[in-house]
Amino acid sequence: MSTNIVAFEDMSVTEYGGTDLDLNAMAESFASVKFPSITAKNGRFFTKESGELTLINRIKASAKDPDEPASYIDMVIVDMQKCKSYYASGFTEGSVDKPLCFSDDMVTPSPSAEEAQCETCALCPHNAWGSGINDKGEATKGKACSDVIRLAVATSDALDKTYLFRVPPASLSNFALVAKELSPRRIPINAVVTRFSFDAEKTGVLLFKAVAGLTPETYKEASALRSTDRVRAITGKDNLSGSAAPAIEKTVVKAVAKKAAPVKEVVPEVSEE
């Protein structure tokens, strides 16, 4: 054996000190964090894990009860981040496909976007009001690139199993009502169990309501999860640019607003990833 190397099992912390562990951290960052998601479609909730969609059924009162789709789910909102997402052919309700272009900071496309459509979100024609197109090729008053909220959610009895849930544009105002109810009492949104359900009068629109509180101990556990790699990956906060917009190394595809067929009446689209 060469005189300038030693057996790996003989290496010790005291001799090497761990002063260059930042290199290890950089190497480990190349491993993508995998996480499941929950999506809502046609009045039903589904989980997607390892590429498989599974219908969420209601909790049975008895083992003899038949399986029935859940009309609501009760989740703890661990963390959140507002972002943008663009689908070339428009968004299909309940889809869990990755958008063609998206932004985690609402300023520039994410470095991991498949095809960045513009150097900045502000200049992108897909971000303009009236650029939206529905699945019939008709114009809408909305944007082709939708503003959504990425939530990291979990059940109160399994906080370590966090899911991605995207709140679509048409449901954002309903989602804000939860915080408006909690803020006067100075209760954070991640300290309660929030019920996600469907608006019976508006197709594809979601409703949100705080239905229970976490114990102080469980809240501390939920709050601590905000800084974990998994939750930061789910919300996209690991990709935030901070004070300066990141340079986009990929070739930027010049976005061209599509022309839509004229319509007499415009109906806002409900968009869910």
Side-chain angles (χ1 to χ4, degrees), residues 36-40 44-56 73 75 96 161 163-164:
S37 61
I38 297 176
T39 188
R44 302 287 185 265
F45 293 101
F46 299 85
T47 61
K48 183 183 181 183
E49 192 165 4
S50 300
E52 182 177 348
L53 274 177
T54 303
L55 176 67
I56 299 178
I73 54 175
M75 309 298 294
V96 290
K161 183 65 178 291
Y163 295 81
L164 165 67

Side-chain angles (χ1 to χ4, degrees), residues 61-102:
S62 168
K64 297 181 180 180
D65 291 346
D67 289 332
E68 293 182 356
S71 58
Y72 63 85
I73 54 175
D74 290 342
M75 309 298 294
V76 177
I77 299 171
V78 177
D79 206 351
M80 69 185 76
Q81 177 65 34
K82 192 172 182 180
C83 61
K84 289 181 174 293
S85 61
Y86 168 72
Y87 294 82
S89 300
F91 179 75
T92 302
E93 181 190 358
S95 172
V96 290
D97 294 334
K98 188 175 180 179
L100 184 65
C101 182
F102 64 97

Side-chain angles (χ1 to χ4, degrees), residues 102-111 118-121 241 245-246 248:
F102 64 97
S103 172
D104 294 310
D105 61 4
M106 311 286 285
V107 177
T108 60
S110 168
C118 192
E119 292 184 352
T120 65
C121 297
S241 60
I248 301 173

Side-chain angles (χ1 to χ4, degrees), residues 33 35 150 228-239:
V33 180
F35 48 83
R150 294 169 64 103
T228 60
D229 291 343
R230 181 186 178 96
V231 169
R232 290 183 63 82
I234 288 174
T235 58
K237 289 187 175 181
D238 273 341
N239 298 325

